[in-house]
Amino acid sequence: MIELLRKILKKITKPGTPKIGLALGGGGVRGMAHLGVLSVFKREGIPIHAIAGSSMGAIVGAAYTLNPEYGGKHLTDLLHEIDDAIPERLKESSDAPDSFLGKLQQFINVEHFVLDTVSGWSVLPEDLAKEALEKLTLDKKIEDAILPLAIVAVDLLSGKKIVFKQGPAAIALQASSAIPGFFPPVAYQNMLLVDGAIVDVVPADVVRAMGVDVVIAVDVDQSGQQSEISNGFDAFLRAIELSGESNKHHFLKNADVIIHPDFGETIVTFDISKIEHCVKAGVEATEKALPKIRALLS
């Protein structure tokens, strides 16, 4: 089946047509914008030849290339499973955050988070992500993908960026999306792996090295926009996002086109009520980028 799909992709690619590589960035629920991006490419008949992703970008890319039943529902279900497992105290925001009691409650929420983390690896169980990602990828290997796929993580022990291009897809995705303190790090082949977005949030450099001619990066970050931080959980996730900012602009120099969805409002990392909003933003941003993409392909 995989070989048949690969042959079909080769046939629909005209000889001499530049090869396109997508770099799908991390960003929690904002990464659902990648679904909108991919839907426009499919609708317009623009072939994709390679995908590299970090965190949520890696999850969407893997679902697209490994799961014949791929669709937004699978990813929505995954986010709902994660959201259901997050302790309510971490999601609660005080009605009066500026009051003494409001600040005290926020402090208690953060303290609970810290205690949960330092007494173990994370606030969420390891099996939660593992089982969900195995279902999403049909327990396949990365090399089973219908087109070249790269998944980015970082090794806490060596500090090096790790790029998976083969091996169990679920393990690579678990590593790429393991937000420190939130999900446990992944012990694999003498490494301790966590969220790839920390070092390379939009891996345009990785997909460029995969032999493509045109790199299209999808950056779902909301840099420069005032974030709504109403509890310790929001503050922690925002700090993780900011940690990858310094490297991002350097790696984006490898991109020929940068698609940057305009969400029109602040979207916090796991606000699953905004899934459809994010998908729509991805569609609109890609449609605006089509003239530039077509010019590069011609």
Side-chain angles (χ1 to χ4, degrees):
M1 180 66 178
I2 296 298
E3 285 304 315
L4 176 61
L5 289 170
R6 285 174 177 158
K7 288 177 182 178
I8 292 172
L9 283 172
K10 285 183 180 180
K11 285 182 179 179
I12 64 176
T13 303
K14 297 177 182 178
T17 301
K19 293 182 178 180
I20 294 176
L22 291 185
L24 304 181
V29 74
R30 295 191 303 275
M32 295 296 275
H34 300 315
L35 292 176
V37 174
L38 291 167
S39 71
V40 173
F41 273 77
K42 182 177 181 180
R43 185 192 75 201
E44 299 295 321
I46 301 173
I48 301 165
H49 300 86
I51 293 178
S54 288
S55 201
M56 193 62 186
I59 292 173
V60 174
Y64 179 76
T65 58
L66 287 168
N67 193 336
E69 302 298 324
Y70 159 82
K73 183 180 183 303
H74 295 83
L75 298 171
T76 299
D77 289 346
L78 173 63
L79 288 176
H80 275 286
E81 285 184 44
I82 293 171
D83 184 70
D84 288 344
I86 298 171
E88 286 301 320
R89 67 173 182 272
L90 293 178
K91 295 187 283 186
E92 291 173 353
S93 56
S94 171
D95 293 331
D98 293 328
S99 69
F100 172 75
L101 289 177
K103 291 179 179 178
L104 179 61
Q105 183 60 54
Q106 288 189 358
F107 175 79
I108 292 171
N109 288 344
V110 175
E111 180 131 312
H112 273 300
F113 179 85
V114 172
L115 287 173
D116 285 343
T117 302
V118 298
S119 62
W121 277 117
S122 63
V123 296
L124 295 182
E126 180 177 2
D127 289 344
L128 173 67
K130 183 174 181 291
E131 292 172 4
L133 292 170
E134 284 174 353
K135 284 192 292 184
L136 189 71
T137 61
L138 306 178
D139 209 13
K140 291 182 179 180
K141 293 184 177 180
I142 297 171
E143 54 266 40
D144 293 330
I146 60 173
L147 50 86
L149 173 68
I151 296 170
V152 179
V154 60
D155 177 21
L156 286 178
L157 301 179
S158 67
K160 293 180 179 179
K161 178 167 69 179
I162 305 298
V163 179
F164 287 93
K165 294 182 180 178
Q166 59 184 16
I171 290 177
L173 292 177
Q174 190 181 352
S176 184
S177 56
I179 301 172
F182 184 58
F183 282 113
V186 176
Y188 184 70
Q189 295 185 351
N190 298 317
M191 297 180 289
L192 200 58
L193 302 166
V194 295
D195 197 336
I198 294 173
V199 293
D200 198 350
V201 66
V202 189
D205 58 316
V206 174
V207 78
R208 173 68 74 188
M210 295 169 76
V212 299
D213 303 302
V214 175
V215 171
I216 300 174
V218 187
D219 179 12
V220 297
D221 191 22
Q222 293 187 294
S223 302
Q225 187 166 335
Q226 185 68 38
S227 296
E228 293 180 8
I229 299 174
S230 57
N231 55 46
F233 183 57
D234 288 346
F236 176 78
L237 291 176
R238 180 59 179 155
I240 292 292
E241 288 178 353
L242 290 173
S243 68
E245 276 296 299
S246 59
N247 291 329
K248 183 180 73 173
H249 300 293
H250 169 71
F251 291 128
L252 281 178
K253 292 177 182 178
N254 289 275
D256 299 293
V257 178
I258 300 174
I259 296 175
H260 199 159
D262 180 4
F263 298 104
E265 61 182 282
T266 301
I267 307 290
V268 295
T269 303
F270 279 112
D271 185 356
I272 59 175
S273 70
K274 302 296 184 181
I275 289 175
E276 290 302 320
H277 180 86
C278 292
V279 175
K280 183 180 178 183
V283 170
E284 293 173 349
T286 308
E287 288 175 340
K288 288 180 181 177
L290 282 175
K292 187 172 184 179
I293 293 171
R294 293 199 184 283
L296 287 168
L297 295 180
S298 63

